[in-house]
Amino acid sequence: MKSRTQLLALGAAALLAAGLPFWSTDQYQVHLASLICCYWVLIAGLNLVVGYSGQLSIGHVGLLSIGAYTFAILSGKWGLPPFVSVGVAGALCGFCGLLLGLPSLRLPGFYFAMATMAFALIVGEFALAQGDLTGGGVGLPVPSFPAPFDTPVGFYYLAVLGAVVVSVLTWNVARQMYGRGLIAIRDNPVTAQAVGVPVFRAKLTTFVFSGMTAGVGGALFGSLQSYITPDTFHFELSLFFFVCIIIGGRGSIVGPFLGVAVLTALPEVVAPLAKLGNFFYGLLLLLVVLVVPEGIGRVFELFAQRLRPRNSASVPVAPDLPRLAKAIAAIRAVPGEHPLSARVVTKQFGAVVALDQVSLELRSGEIHGLIGPNGSGKTTLLNLLSGYYQPSSGAIQLRGEELGQASVRRRAQLGVARTFQKPRLLGTLSVLNNVVLGAWTHVEPGFLSTALGLPRVARLDRVLTDQAAELLHGVGLSHAIERRANLLEHAEQRFLEIARGLAMRPSFILLDEPAGGLSNDEIEHLGDIIRTIREAGIGVLLVEHHTDFVFRVCDRVTTLDVGRMIRHGHPEDVRTDPEVIRVYLGA
Ligand code: ADP
Ligand code: MG
């Protein structure tokens, strides 16, 4: 729904853009519109980096200037055909993005921002110092494009074309699997990892893409300016790009486009604002951050929601078990016929021994309860099984093979899904999209095929979306499918996490205190859901404090106390074990 509104807005903008030279009598307006388009070619790519994957690059002006200089040197000095030079500029800047991103995208946010800033400053100094190549402080003339793009109006259409192309590419990325993965990286990297998003690779790919659009944008921008010096690419321009996206709103495409259009045009149209310069940008940024912190793109989204019937009344979660069973059967990969096991694992955190020589074996089609007082190491064991921690000694095995250093993502792909003690959802995504995200584990969407809008990617997206919807109907969240996940009640969040885990097509699903904070009725529903999961042949680890519940639904139970296993076996045997009663149940 949201995407359709955005698409309509984009279509209207395209029509308006196409007609501009006809109704505008002022050459300067055409120039201004061309400038907006050139900026947008860069910002559209940067938007995926900043607005979607949440990486704060403030140095894109460096890439813009490399693009412009490359174009000026190749076409102006060396006589290469302009369109070839644009391609080279894009490729070179993509490569620069790779060189810059490889080391710096591993850094925490603040350091990454600093690294991109340093990059921009270095590029500026380099342009100044390499006088032979760049003309130093004097600068370089930049050639125009061949006919019919050599007039202002001709160039304008070329710039519009560039803007439309990047809009479509980024649009395709944003609204499909890949874009949801990026948002996961931005809002909750732990979740992203849990559902199998290759966090670093996706960040890097997106950054390289933004380098390419910056290079192309730079070539167009340079040509529009017709003469460039290092001063053309002042650092404030970089901040300007960044501000356009923040004002436009993270996770939106129309928003940042409006951001750049308004921020570029307004000071020109309303003359007094031009005098205010950066003060005006600062004021606007402050206003947006205070009044609509999610950006002007969000205003549109809210507007679109207002047009829809509101249905946010709280509805009790009521699972539809036959439907859930069918939904699981429809997506189930090969059932894990072999166990997932921890073999005499010990886990130490400094002096704390969180787990001391614990063994546990999860089998397909069984519910295995794990109980014990707070701090007894239950979550730690779950983290070891799912790969968040490595054991200090001992081994984790799946189907008889040691998992060794296998990452969280790899384990997810091998069929180990989990939920979190405190639900980790992506609040700005819809409930449905939260669940679809689980499918990353086994589909691995490619950036290029997504950006190009290949039909098979779109088809797959639809199939996965339908499967996710079925899972949601199954766990009883039919009423909330289109809702933003941050509007969910606590119980709904828990059930959503389970649906997401199931979308990962797990052989084993590890549930960390899923009954925490649920009412008695909801716990009953949870029990039904877990039994249905078991019937589908999935192995369940149920870490829980509600012991009645555990003894009721589990096939086997393990009890931990301060990292040691004190009893494991049949629920009935564990429940009546004197030691278990003494350390845990009796309390
Ligand atoms: P439970 O889930 O049974 O309540 P945990 O597995 O969370 O217990 O914790 C077991 C012990 O390990 C606790 O003493 C806790 O403080 C410690 N612990 C868990 N994770 C870490 C960590 N990342 N760093 C240091 N100590 C930890
Ligand atoms: Mg815990």
Side-chain angles (χ1 to χ4, degrees):
M1 192 62 73
K2 175 191 162 198
S3 55
R4 192 160 308 159
T5 326
Q6 291 208 356
L7 200 63
L8 275 176
L10 270 179
L15 267 178
L16 212 71
L20 177 76
F22 295 100
W23 52 261
S24 161
T25 48
D26 186 352
Q27 282 286 319
Y28 189 64
Q29 286 180 1
V30 174
H31 173 86
L32 214 55
S34 301
L35 184 63
I36 291 173
C37 290
C38 293
Y39 284 157
W40 176 242
V41 171
L42 175 144
I43 293 178
L46 180 62
N47 186 32
L48 287 185
V49 173
V50 175
Y52 283 83
S53 78
Q55 306 305 305
L56 307 183
S57 170
I58 51 175
H60 262 58
V61 78
L63 295 160
L64 184 83
S65 93
I66 294 178
Y69 274 109
T70 306
F71 180 78
I73 293 166
L74 291 186
S75 277
K77 284 186 151 184
W78 302 352
L80 246 65
F83 284 105
V84 174
S85 306
V86 172
V88 175
L92 181 65
C93 289
F95 184 66
C96 292
L98 183 71
L99 289 186
L100 172 62
L102 260 179
S104 61
L105 277 168
R106 291 187 195 278
L107 303 174
F110 172 75
Y111 295 97
F112 172 71
M114 290 300 110
T116 59
M117 185 177 95
F119 169 77
L121 298 178
I122 290 170
V123 169
E125 290 304 315
F126 185 84
L128 254 177
Q130 297 296 312
D132 292 345
L133 203 59
T134 62
V138 180
L140 272 185
V142 191
S144 50
F145 282 83
F149 305 114
D150 52 347
T151 63
V153 171
F155 180 85
Y156 167 71
Y157 281 118
L158 182 66
V160 168
L161 180 71
V164 169
V165 169
V166 290
S167 301
V168 171
L169 293 178
T170 55
W171 178 263
N172 283 335
V173 173
R175 75 194 162 88
Q176 303 193 79
M177 272 302 260
Y178 209 98
R180 287 172 218 134
L182 295 179
I183 289 182
I185 293 173
R186 179 190 80 192
D187 289 350
N188 206 325
V190 176
T191 305
Q193 211 186 4
V195 296
V197 177
V199 174
F200 180 71
R201 190 171 1 125
K203 285 199 289 196
L204 187 62
T205 310
T206 312
F207 193 68
V208 168
F209 172 76
S210 80
M212 292 163 79
T213 69
V216 173
L220 291 172
F221 173 77
S223 185
L224 177 68
Q225 301 292 330
S226 75
Y227 198 93
I228 52 174
T229 72
D231 281 345
T232 313
F233 305 97
H234 47 95
F235 189 66
E236 277 152 28
L237 195 54
S238 220
L239 293 179
F240 167 80
F241 299 147
F242 190 78
V243 167
C244 289
I245 293 173
I246 301 301
I247 287 182
R250 305 198 308 168
S252 158
I253 288 184
V254 172
F257 178 74
L258 290 176
V260 61
V262 170
L263 289 192
T264 310
L266 215 54
E268 305 289 342
V269 181
V270 188
L273 289 179
K275 282 197 210 110
L276 296 176
N278 285 340
F279 177 78
F280 164 65
Y281 294 147
L283 195 68
L284 202 60
L285 181 63
L286 201 62
L287 260 177
V288 167
V289 168
L290 291 178
V291 181
V292 259
E294 291 183 78
I296 46 183
R298 175 76 180 137
V299 177
F300 278 80
E301 200 182 312
L302 288 174
F303 182 69
Q305 273 171 4
R306 186 105 0 112
L307 299 178
R308 257 184 290 150
R310 288 184 70 79
N311 178 23
S312 51
S314 153
V315 176
V317 178
D320 178 345
L321 301 175
R323 198 162 182 182
L324 179 61
K326 250 176 85 184
I328 298 175
I331 58 167
R332 208 59 189 88
V334 225
E337 280 159 17
H338 303 286
L340 170 65
S341 51
R343 300 220 177 272
V344 240
V345 291
T346 296
K347 179 66 186 172
Q348 279 178 275
F349 297 103
V352 178
V353 183
L355 282 178
D356 188 6
Q357 309 206 357
V358 172
S359 295
L360 174 138
E361 186 171 277
L362 302 183
R363 297 186 201 144
S364 308
E366 269 192 16
I367 305 173
H368 195 125
L370 182 61
I371 55 174
N374 273 332
S376 57
K378 305 182 294 296
T379 299
T380 303
L381 185 54
L382 197 151
N383 282 331
L384 286 172
L385 289 169
S386 50
Y388 285 83
Y389 299 153
Q390 292 295 329
S392 309
S393 70
I396 306 295
Q397 296 180 339
L398 179 63
R399 305 189 183 108
E401 282 174 35
E402 290 225 1
L403 286 175
Q405 302 284 320
S407 64
V408 171
R409 187 172 116 75
R410 180 81 196 112
R411 288 179 203 215
Q413 287 172 331
L414 290 171
V416 184
R418 71 170 296 178
T419 65
F420 294 89
Q421 191 165 341
K422 188 172 171 297
R424 287 176 176 272
L425 304 176
L426 297 158
T428 61
L429 291 185
S430 71
V431 167
L432 182 61
N433 279 339
N434 266 275
V435 177
V436 182
L437 198 61
W440 254 92
T441 335
H442 47 89
V443 294
E444 296 246 14
F447 184 89
L448 192 64
S449 51
T450 304
L452 293 177
L454 297 191
R456 76 176 156 80
V457 179
R459 230 174 4 245
L460 183 65
D461 217 79
R462 270 197 302 280
V463 170
L464 296 173
T465 305
D466 290 345
Q467 291 174 342
E470 281 306 304
L471 287 170
L472 282 166
H473 289 302
V475 299
L477 290 176
S478 306
H479 59 282
I481 282 184
E482 291 292 338
R483 203 173 292 172
R484 259 185 166 219
N486 59 1
L487 300 178
L488 291 189
E489 312 265 323
H490 180 74
E492 293 171 329
Q493 295 185 16
R494 293 246 180 241
F495 286 70
L496 167 55
E497 266 213 332
I498 295 176
R500 183 176 68 202
L502 292 172
M504 293 167 69
R505 300 186 185 172
S507 304
F508 295 94
I509 186 164
L510 320 177
L511 308 175
D512 200 351
E513 304 202 15
L518 301 196
S519 69
N520 286 338
D521 282 351
E522 289 160 349
I523 292 182
E524 282 309 309
H525 291 322
L526 176 68
D528 292 339
I529 288 174
I530 293 178
R531 286 192 196 95
T532 307
I533 295 174
R534 168 180 64 191
E535 302 318 320
I538 298 172
V540 181
L541 179 69
L542 177 61
V543 172
E544 220 4 286
H545 266 305
H546 293 74
T547 44
D548 288 351
F549 175 58
V550 170
F551 290 126
R552 213 156 7 106
V553 301
C554 289
D555 301 300
R556 283 183 303 151
V557 176
T558 298
T559 318
L560 291 179
D561 182 37
V562 262
R564 282 177 309 107
M565 193 169 73
I566 50 175
R567 183 70 211 254
H568 104 123
H570 246 265
E572 202 46 35
D573 300 339
V574 174
R575 195 165 64 84
T576 50
D577 184 272
E579 176 78 352
V580 174
I581 292 173
R582 192 180 63 76
V583 304
Y584 184 49
L585 298 179

